[in-house]
């Protein structure tokens, strides 16, 4: 209803444009600004006489180029627009200043534009003859718009086309203002507002089943979430595989020696690759010493944090290249060089050998370093140098950092999505995440560039992800690329690159087989080819995989559609019991959203992954977003969402906006089956994306206010939704929309859970009609999170209350309250 109201309001506000005496037809000029190389997209101006031109909106782009990397490559150069016999508008533009690759899109009305396709040359766009395109291109002319000479095409069109453009731009402006509302203006917006009173009358007879999987987590190796984060390995660049290409050659210090240095004098440290431990891991270090005492030191990820009395498993692959075979001393040293722990490994032989020892820290230190003490006049090769705390989460070998993993487990997630995000589909074809590269012995895994600008060891690989899910009782939700890399991929020297560089069709069978093999690896018996590898890794029982995502917010181009369909059909045919999750672009509307849904509906895809990062007020004004969804259509997995304020904090305001949305998701839990906030983790000083749910450094963890909202929903989930009627003392939409609630029941424990959000600057007094539940003497826990909207370090407070105290309950200004009622 609220969306319809919004459209109605906009129609009333903008129904008539400023043109008093509307002409039958006018001229439109379509162009892209030369000044910003078309980054603001396809613009329009109109004129009655071709002399006086009126820009539609102030630089409002009706189509924006979605080709290539953000910023540098999303250009729209010399677009030309034409209308053809197929009753469609066609728009073609160049992607760069060479007369090479072009983009194409079409529209019925100049308002809704189809997903874009990209071609290596104008000739490759076979839809039109070269003569036709040249003829249309030649209609470009120069016009002065707002003082700047712009190149574009003039067309005569009926006035209603222009009025449609104007309305679209005005509606967009209206929405930006509405969704731009923040609590900063609350004092003015709600001046004189009286405390709100509302009466809520639950209707248990109307209870409906909702998903019991709603609250989950999204894990992506962004912000150093994996290496240097959740993955408990303490040695940075343990395999000497860091490469300048990880950072696209922007950092000369980022190479195979990164994080390593020599102590003492006279030693040589080189990188070799002629006789590696494993071909997937080609680099190793060669250390040649002279007379004195020398060592090779690893600085860890911003230092190594050790705790007095704790045990650390050290291992390395080593080979003597000099015939001298002497034991190696291994030490942990503090900032001043003081020894914190010492041990040794036996003398290396002439062949690669993995040697192990245990270091016990004598002192606690945050900035320790690991030193391998070298023997004088020796030459040794080392690789896969590793140091793990024995206290990993659930004491798993090659395990996870205990405190970080526990903070995820405390969210009580019903599923874990991995390995991303953009990491799943990668920056270009070579960067697609292939699960097979991430299983098996660590030295045989294939490390690779992380598109967020660092390095992935793949030490935290598919086995570890599945193991973690099992350890915390969450369903595993792997997401594989749909045969295409991210649409924001760079060209990487490819003539076309971007998403268009999809896996060549004649290689798709092999890729599809990889996806099928993943399901066999997870669910097949230990006798199957891939199930036997899982068993060999220590897990003979199947992992019980039920869900798989194909694609990550991709452009729904022809290249995508073709490949997605092939993968979808193959998985569905071989594994009909697996729920396949399709994708619907990175926004809550637009061509990828609409066409993603159309494709999924046509193919009968059971669930669709939606993503949106939006301002808090979007959540306030879109509480009915899912109320309109077809209950017989595909289910929704809201795979990525978060409230973003301009300076990107994670504060009480964003957290309460997310809470409002979560109450709406619970109400729509019959259609929205899963939801995961994104991103999950961020390391201090290595954060590429804000806000995140959990911030950490090597020794501490900061759970954000948004974290507690996720946790309260995760810990207080239900599988039945109980509708309610509400009466308000103030019917102003801006007031009503800032108060939200949901009532759910756990059908197993019979507990009733009531969640209430108040995003107003005044208290809301809520009368709850509890009589329909017939509680006699229930146990009730009340949890409240409250504060100033800009506060960041808030924690929820719990109290025990009795039934009479909740018949009327005061919701503090800017607060979230949960009542958990045990009959
Ligand atoms: O969550 C961060 C990024 O946002 C994800 O990698 C991507 O899917 C989305 O654009």
């Amino acid at each position: 209803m609220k969306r319809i109201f919004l459209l109605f309001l906009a129609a009333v506000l903008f129904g008539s444009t400023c043109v008093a005496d509307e002409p039958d037809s006018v001229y439109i000029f379509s162009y892209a600004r030369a000044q910003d190389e078309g980054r603001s997209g396809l613009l329009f101006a109109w004129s009655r006489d071709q002399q006086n031109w009126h820009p539609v909106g102030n630089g409002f782009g009706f189509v924006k180029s979605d080709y290539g990397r953000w910023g540098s490559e999303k250009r729209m150069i010399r677009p030309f627009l034409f209308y053809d016999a197929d009753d469609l508008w066609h728009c073609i533009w160049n992607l760069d200043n060479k007369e090479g690759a072009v983009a194409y899109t079409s529209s019925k009305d100049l308002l809704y534009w189809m997903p874009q396709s990209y071609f290596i040359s104008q000739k490759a766009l076979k839809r039109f003859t070269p003569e036709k395109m040249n003829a249309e291109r030649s209609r470009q002319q120069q016009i002065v718009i707002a003082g700047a000479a712009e190149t574009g095409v003039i067309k005569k069109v009926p006035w209603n086309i222009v009025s449609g453009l104007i309305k679209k731009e005005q509606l967009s402006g209206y929405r930006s203002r509405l969704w731009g509302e923040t609590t900063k203006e609350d004092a003015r917006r709600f001046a004189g507002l009286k405390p709100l009173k509302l009466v809520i009358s639950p209707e248990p007879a109307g209870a409906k089943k909702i998903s019991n999987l709603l609250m989950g987590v999204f894990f992506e190796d962004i912000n150093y979430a994996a290496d240097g984060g959740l993955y408990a390995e303490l040695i940075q660049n343990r395999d000497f595989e860091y490469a300048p290409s990880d950072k696209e050659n922007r950092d000369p210090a980022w190479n195979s020696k990164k994080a390593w240095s020599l102590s003492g004098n006279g030693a040589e440290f080189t990188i070799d690759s002629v006789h590696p431990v494993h071909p997937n891991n080609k680099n190793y270090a060669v250390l040649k010493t002279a007379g004195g005492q020398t060592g090779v030191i690893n600085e860890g990820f911003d230092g190594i944090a050790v705790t007095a009395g704790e045990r650390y498993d050290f291992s390395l692959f080593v080979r003597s290249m000099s015939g001298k075979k002497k034991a190696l001393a291994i030490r942990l040293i503090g900032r001043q060089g003081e020894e914190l722990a010492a041990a040794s490994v036996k003398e290396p032989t002439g062949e690669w050998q993995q040697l192990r020892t245990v270091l016990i820290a004598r002192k606690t230190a945050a900035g320790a370093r690991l030193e391998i003490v070298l023997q004088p006049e020796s030459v040794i090769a080392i690789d896969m140098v590793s140091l793990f705390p024995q206290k990993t989460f659930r004491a798993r070998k090659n395990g996870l950092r205990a405190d970080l993993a526990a903070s995820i487990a405390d969210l009580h997630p019903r599923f874990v999505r991995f390995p991303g995000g953009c990491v799943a589909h990668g920056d270009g074809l070579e960067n697609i995440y292939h699960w097979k590269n991430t299983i098996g012995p660590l030295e045989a895994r294939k490390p690779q560039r992380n598109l967020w600008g660092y390095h992935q060891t793949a030490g935290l690989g598919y086995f570890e992800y599945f193991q973690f899910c099992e350890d915390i009782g969450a369903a595993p939700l792997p997401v594989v690329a749909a045969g295409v890399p991210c649409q924001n991929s760079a060209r990487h020297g490819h003539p076309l690159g971007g998403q268009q560089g999809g896996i060549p069709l004649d290689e798709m069978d092999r890729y599809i087989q990889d996806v099928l093999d993943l399901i066999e690896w997870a669910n097949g018996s230990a006798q199957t080819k891939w199930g036997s590898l899982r068993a060999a890794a220590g897990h003979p029982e199947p992992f019980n995989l039920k869900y798989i995502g194909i694609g990550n917010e991709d452009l729904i181009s022809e290249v995508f559609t073709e490949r997605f369909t092939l993968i979808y059909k193959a998985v569905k045919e071989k594994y009909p019991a697996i729920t396949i999750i399709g994708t619907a672009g990175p926004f809550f509307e637009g061509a990828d959203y609409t066409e993603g849904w159309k494709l999924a509906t046509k193919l009968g895809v059971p669930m669709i992954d939606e993503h949106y990062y939006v301002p808090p007020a979007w959540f306030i004004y879109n509480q009915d977003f899912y109320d309109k969804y077809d209950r017989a259509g595909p289910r929704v997995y809201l795979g990525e969402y978060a409230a973003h304020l301009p300076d990107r904090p994670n504060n009480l305001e964003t957290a309460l906006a997310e809470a409002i949305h979560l109450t709406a998701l619970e109400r729509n839990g019959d259609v929205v089956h899963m939801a995961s906030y994104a991103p999950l983790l961020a390391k201090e000083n290595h954060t590429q994306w804000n806000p995140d749910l959990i911030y950490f450094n090597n020794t501490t963890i900061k759970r954000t206010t948004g974290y507690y909202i996720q946790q309260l929903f995760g810990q207080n989930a239900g599988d039945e939704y109980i509708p309610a009627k509400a009466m308000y003392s103030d019917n102003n939409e801006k007031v009503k929309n800032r108060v939200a609630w949901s009532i759910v029941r756990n059908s197993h424990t019979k507990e009733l859970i009531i969640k209430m959000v108040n995003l107003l600057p005044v208290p809301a007094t809520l009368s709850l009609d509890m009589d329909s539940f017939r509680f006699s003497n229930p146990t009730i826990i009340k949890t409240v999170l409250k504060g100033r909207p800009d506060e960041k370090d808030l924690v929820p407070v719990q109290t025990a209350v009795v039934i009479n105290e909740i018949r009327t309950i005061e919701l503090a200004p800017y607060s979230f309250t949960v009542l958990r009622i045990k009959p």
Side-chain angles (χ1 to χ4, degrees):
M1 274 309 286
K2 282 162 199 148
R3 289 189 114 211
I4 294 167
F5 168 78
L6 193 69
L7 292 172
F8 171 75
L9 191 68
V12 171
L13 285 172
F14 310 120
S16 62
T17 65
C18 305
V19 183
D21 178 17
E22 289 181 357
D24 292 340
S25 59
V26 288
Y27 296 95
I28 54 168
F29 179 61
S30 52
Y31 63 104
R33 272 190 192 144
Q35 219 181 11
D36 66 0
E37 296 192 292
R39 289 193 176 84
S40 42
L42 185 71
L43 312 178
F44 289 100
W46 66 272
S47 168
R48 284 176 192 248
D49 53 11
Q50 299 197 58
Q51 299 298 320
N52 298 300
W53 289 95
H54 310 280
V56 179
N58 186 16
F60 182 80
F62 285 81
V63 192
K64 288 197 175 165
S65 181
D66 204 3
Y67 179 78
R69 191 162 277 186
W70 286 112
S72 59
E73 289 181 336
K74 293 202 188 297
R75 291 178 289 178
M76 178 179 270
I77 298 182
R78 293 186 296 280
F80 59 99
L81 183 75
F82 55 96
Y83 194 71
D84 215 25
D86 50 9
D87 291 342
L88 281 179
W89 290 95
H90 305 276
C91 185
I92 299 171
W93 65 93
N94 286 73
L95 297 172
D96 52 36
N97 279 312
K98 301 167 217 137
E99 286 294 332
V102 296
Y104 167 76
T105 180
S106 63
S107 170
K108 280 187 185 146
D109 52 12
L110 297 183
L111 304 174
Y112 177 77
W113 290 87
M114 293 299 286
Q116 300 166 17
S117 328
Y118 311 103
F119 301 88
I120 191 100
S121 64
Q122 186 169 298
K123 217 166 122 200
L125 202 179
K126 298 229 160 56
R127 185 175 184 131
F128 307 101
T129 62
E131 293 75 26
K132 164 85 179 160
M133 278 188 278
N134 286 338
E136 295 295 348
R137 200 188 268 277
S138 70
R139 291 185 220 284
Q140 287 183 327
Q141 52 185 291
Q142 258 197 3
I143 300 286
V144 174
I145 305 283
E150 307 286 8
T151 305
V153 178
I154 296 178
K155 291 271 165 205
K156 192 165 188 189
V157 295
W159 169 250
N160 66 354
I161 296 262
V162 175
S163 70
L165 294 174
I166 294 172
K167 279 180 197 154
K168 176 162 181 174
E169 188 274 328
Q170 288 177 331
L171 179 59
S172 158
Y174 171 73
R175 294 198 321 177
S176 313
R177 286 191 295 281
L178 193 68
W179 298 344
E181 287 181 2
T182 69
T183 55
K184 279 196 181 137
E185 312 93 45
D186 273 2
R188 182 186 45 76
R189 180 180 304 117
F190 295 116
L193 182 68
K194 299 220 168 55
L196 184 70
K197 287 202 177 94
L198 70 159
V199 180
I200 303 228
S201 312
E203 297 179 336
K208 65 174 175 183
K209 276 269 157 219
I210 58 170
S211 166
N212 58 5
L213 279 185
L214 185 63
M215 299 302 294
V217 295
F218 162 99
F219 180 88
E220 173 166 27
D221 187 4
I222 180 172
N223 309 320
Y224 276 52
D227 295 300
L230 184 60
Y231 184 48
E233 174 62 85
L234 294 167
I235 303 300
Q236 183 174 191
N237 190 18
R238 68 181 176 192
D239 52 8
F240 304 96
E241 298 296 331
Y242 274 28
S245 54
D246 295 339
K247 285 190 178 287
E248 300 184 287
N249 300 314
R250 285 195 200 105
D251 179 358
W254 190 277
N255 55 43
S256 37
K257 291 187 179 174
K258 171 77 183 167
W260 291 96
S261 59
L262 287 175
S263 61
N265 290 321
E268 283 175 32
F269 170 19
T270 51
I271 301 291
D272 210 340
S273 56
V274 284
H275 182 28
V277 174
H278 191 278
N280 287 348
N281 214 306
K282 56 183 190 344
N283 291 340
Y284 52 90
V286 176
L287 300 154
K288 187 174 176 188
T289 59
Q293 163 101 12
T294 43
V296 63
I297 291 184
N298 187 278
E299 67 190 34
F301 294 90
D302 304 332
I304 297 173
V306 291
T307 309
E310 296 293 333
R311 301 166 75 87
Y312 296 85
D313 288 335
F314 170 85
S315 66
L316 89 170
F317 278 82
V318 61
R319 171 163 74 87
S320 168
M321 296 171 74
S322 63
K324 285 207 173 181
K325 296 172 185 163
K326 287 194 186 151
L328 292 173
I330 313 296
R331 306 193 316 143
L332 281 168
I333 49 176
R335 284 214 173 92
Q336 315 307 329
E338 72 280 18
E339 189 175 280
L340 303 171
S344 65
V345 292
K346 66 177 193 190
E347 62 278 12
T349 66
E351 287 306 319
W352 283 115
Q353 244 187 317
Q354 192 175 26
L355 302 179
R356 301 170 191 278
T357 189
V358 174
L359 290 154
I360 305 171
R362 291 199 289 271
K363 278 191 195 159
T364 295
R369 294 171 298 154
L370 177 95
E371 183 181 35
I372 302 170
V373 182
L374 305 169
Q375 294 298 330
E377 290 170 357
S378 67
V379 188
I380 59 163
I382 61 168
D383 202 356
M384 297 302 294
V385 182
S386 173
L387 185 72
F388 265 90
Q390 286 189 352
K391 281 195 180 162
T392 56
F393 187 64
R394 301 280 163 94
R396 297 277 176 209
K397 290 286 173 210
N398 192 45
L400 307 182
R401 191 175 138 178
D403 55 352
L404 265 183
S407 71
I408 299 172
D410 287 350
L411 287 165
H412 200 11
R414 306 303 193 278
F415 67 91
V416 179
R417 172 204 176 121
F418 53 87
C422 290
V423 159
H425 58 177
D427 181 13
L429 210 52
E430 298 76 20
N431 196 239
I432 287 179
Y433 192 100
H434 294 284
W435 73 273
K436 286 182 181 173
N437 292 342
T438 74
I439 58 162
L442 296 178
E443 65 278 12
R445 297 186 186 182
K446 265 196 191 163
Q448 71 166 351
R449 178 171 86 85
N450 181 313
L451 58 67
W452 297 105
Y454 53 102
H455 186 86
Q456 308 176 70
T457 60
L460 172 51
Y462 261 49
F463 184 84
E464 292 74 25
Y465 283 127
F466 274 78
Q467 181 79 81
F468 179 50
C469 290
E470 193 171 83
D471 282 347
I472 63 172
L477 170 43
V479 175
V480 298
V484 292
C486 180
Q487 62 267 41
N488 304 318
S489 298
R491 286 170 91 157
H492 293 304
H494 289 284
L496 202 50
Q499 190 211 45
Q500 298 306 111
I503 296 177
L505 284 175
D506 59 1
E507 290 172 28
M508 275 302 289
D509 281 352
R510 206 169 66 196
Y511 181 73
I512 290 169
Q513 192 55 49
D514 281 354
V515 179
L516 299 174
D517 292 345
L518 167 59
I519 301 170
E520 182 177 294
W521 176 84
N523 288 356
S525 79
Q527 276 66 50
T528 58
K529 178 177 169 196
W530 289 97
S532 70
L533 293 187
R534 182 198 67 238
H539 202 286
E541 295 307 317
F543 273 123
N544 196 18
L545 174 68
K546 290 188 176 144
Y547 299 87
I548 187 166
I550 301 176
N552 175 61
E553 61 174 45
D554 299 282
L555 189 74
I556 312 297
S557 62
E558 283 170 26
V559 178
F560 165 86
T561 301
E562 206 168 7
R563 286 158 183 77
F564 175 86
T565 307
L566 288 171
I567 306 168
Y568 171 72
K569 287 190 171 160
V571 175
K572 188 177 168 207
E573 190 184 316
K574 182 140 191 211
Y575 295 106
I578 295 281
T579 300
I580 300 169
I581 306 177
T583 181
F587 304 114
F588 57 87
E589 63 181 3
D592 300 320
Y593 171 83
T594 305
E595 302 307 317
W597 267 92
K598 270 194 207 155
L599 175 67
T601 309
K602 185 176 109 192
L603 294 173
V605 178
M607 206 181 290
I608 302 183
D609 180 12
E610 295 185 351
H611 294 181
Y612 38 83
Y613 297 96
V614 286
W618 188 91
F619 292 120
I620 293 173
Y621 289 109
N622 282 280
Q623 291 176 47
D624 56 352
F625 189 74
Y626 292 110
D627 294 74
K628 66 182 185 303
Y629 273 46
D630 181 0
R631 267 49 196 167
R635 298 290 181 254
V636 175
Y637 163 40
L638 175 53
E640 295 183 28
Y641 70 96
H644 282 186
L645 279 166
D647 48 354
R648 301 284 184 99
N650 183 327
N651 60 17
L652 185 61
E653 176 171 3
T654 56
L656 292 179
E658 286 149 12
I660 285 181
H661 199 52
L662 285 167
T663 61
L665 296 190
E666 286 194 331
R667 187 176 65 253
N668 286 285
D670 50 340
V671 69
V672 184
H673 264 224
M674 304 182 183
S676 44
Y677 178 100
L680 180 63
L681 299 180
K683 188 165 193 176
E684 254 174 30
N685 302 324
H686 299 283
T687 299
Q688 292 93 31
W689 182 289
N690 270 309
D692 305 280
L693 218 50
I694 303 169
Y695 290 85
F696 64 94
N697 56 29
N698 285 343
T699 50
T700 56
I701 289 182
K702 195 172 144 249
R703 300 172 187 214
T704 59
T705 309
Y707 172 95
Y708 289 111
I709 293 292
Q710 296 289 323
Q711 188 184 46
L712 288 170
F713 273 86
Q715 291 179 344
N716 294 292
D719 55 358
E720 284 174 1
Y721 182 82
I722 296 169
K725 288 235 159 59
M727 279 182 6
Y728 300 79
S729 61
D730 186 331
N731 278 312
N732 176 344
E733 288 291 324
K734 287 196 191 294
V735 173
K736 282 168 68 178
N737 277 325
R738 282 165 165 85
V739 177
W741 71 91
S742 64
I743 306 174
V744 297
R745 187 163 46 199
N746 180 323
S747 65
H748 304 289
T749 63
K750 306 291 175 218
E751 284 165 294
L752 189 73
I753 297 142
I754 307 176
K755 306 185 184 84
M756 294 155 285
V757 190
N758 180 13
L759 190 39
L760 289 169
V762 296
T765 308
L766 200 139
S767 302
L768 264 176
D769 177 0
M770 298 302 292
D771 291 346
S772 44
F773 294 109
R774 298 203 187 92
F775 289 121
S776 54
N777 188 19
T779 311
I780 308 175
I781 301 292
K782 179 178 165 191
T783 311
V784 178
L785 183 70
K786 62 177 181 180
R788 283 195 327 271
D790 61 346
E791 276 186 284
K792 291 184 181 159
D793 297 317
L794 299 166
V795 289
V797 175
Q798 272 195 357
T799 46
V801 291
V802 295
I803 187 99
N804 283 339
E805 290 176 87
I806 65 163
R807 291 189 196 278
T808 300
I809 134 167
E810 188 173 288
L811 308 179
Y814 305 118
S815 67
F816 178 55
T817 305
V818 183
L819 296 174
R820 189 176 184 113
I821 308 168
K822 198 177 176 128

